[in-house]
């Protein structure tokens, strides 16, 4: 995996507007004007964010005259998620330890979402 | 989920040295000197990267006198991975479509890793 590609992907994701654009594109392709609508931003400002996403390969823009829809590209995000995968073991272990601690403290209900009714009876 | 926290996490991950530091810490805690060893970098340069990781909450540094070990923190990475989760559906669909395409092109073997022997017989 190319480290610079990963750095570009993570840098592109490090902005709430760019993440919102990706979120919108995950529901289907959209023109730049459509992408700009929900934001209180000028078209050039949105275009600037789009260019960062395009350089990172997260978005491609079609070449159809006039409309030129933007489309999500899956691969860079998948590579970033794959990079994170080994750390999943780490946070799952941490959660297991937290659960053990809560169980030992006699607070199983807090981790399982079950609550004993007020009258103290369970069917 | 705090958007600024997510931006800090992704920005911290957007650097190969910082990712390498996290990778080292995923195997166990380490002092700043130990973290600096594999890199052709000065201690202050490594410390600067560590500060970015600490501000993003990805690493904490112990308060034990002298040694002050650095330790990986799971939560910000887990939040970032959770943010990516809805996109998984997108890239898995893309891979499914690619697989369908390859199957239709009569190239199933390329996706499954099985190869028909040269003599054309399968046991």
């Amino acid at each position: 995996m190319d480290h610079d590609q990963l750095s570009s992907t993570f840098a592109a994701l490090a902005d709430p507007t760019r993440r919102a654009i990706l979120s919108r594109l995950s529901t289907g392709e959209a023109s730049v004007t459509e992408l700009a609508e929900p934001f209180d931003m000028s078209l050039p400002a949105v275009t600037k964010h789009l260019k960062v996403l395009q350089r990172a390969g997260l978005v491609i823009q079609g070449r159809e005259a006039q409309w030129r829809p933007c489309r999500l590209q899956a691969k860079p995000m998948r590579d970033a998620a794959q990079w994170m995968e080994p750390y999943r073991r780490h946070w799952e272990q941490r959660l297991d330890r937290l659960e053990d601690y809560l169980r030992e403290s006699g607070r199983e209900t807090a981790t399982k979402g079950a609550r004993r009714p007020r009258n103290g009876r369970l069917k």
Side-chain angles (χ1 to χ4, degrees), chain A:
Chain A
M1 198 180 297
D2 182 4
H3 277 300
D4 290 327
Q5 174 58 56
L6 261 185
S7 296
S8 302
T9 304
F10 284 128
L13 296 177
D15 180 276
T17 306
R18 291 198 289 270
R19 290 197 301 275
I21 290 174
L22 292 174
S23 175
R24 165 64 188 85
L25 290 178
S26 73
T27 68
E29 51 186 41
S31 69
V32 178
T33 319
E34 285 170 329
L35 286 175
E37 268 167 20
F39 303 108
D40 188 18
M41 289 180 103
S42 65
L43 264 187
V46 171
T47 304
K48 206 171 157 186
H49 279 307
L50 264 176
K51 283 206 187 304
V52 178
L53 291 168
Q54 283 177 283
R55 273 199 298 271
L58 288 157
V59 168
I60 53 164
Q61 194 168 11
R63 301 219 168 266
E64 295 85 351
Q66 293 182 349
W67 193 46
R68 304 198 64 205
C70 297
R71 203 173 295 136
L72 196 66
Q73 286 295 285
K75 192 179 178 300
M77 192 94 84
R78 191 187 63 200
D79 291 345
Q82 275 176 350
W83 179 84
M84 284 183 174
E85 203 49 40
Y87 297 90
R88 182 179 292 275
R89 192 176 44 85
H90 187 82
W91 72 66
E92 281 172 354
Q93 279 174 355
R94 300 275 301 188
L95 288 174
D96 286 349
R97 281 204 293 272
L98 179 65
E99 207 173 30
D100 288 347
Y101 169 78
L102 291 173
R103 191 172 294 121
E104 282 162 22
S105 312
R107 284 187 279 160
E108 305 97 316
T109 51
T111 57
K112 290 185 182 165
R115 280 179 189 277
R116 182 173 281 268
R118 291 229 168 187
N119 65 12
R121 282 189 207 167
L122 285 169
K123 279 192 183 175

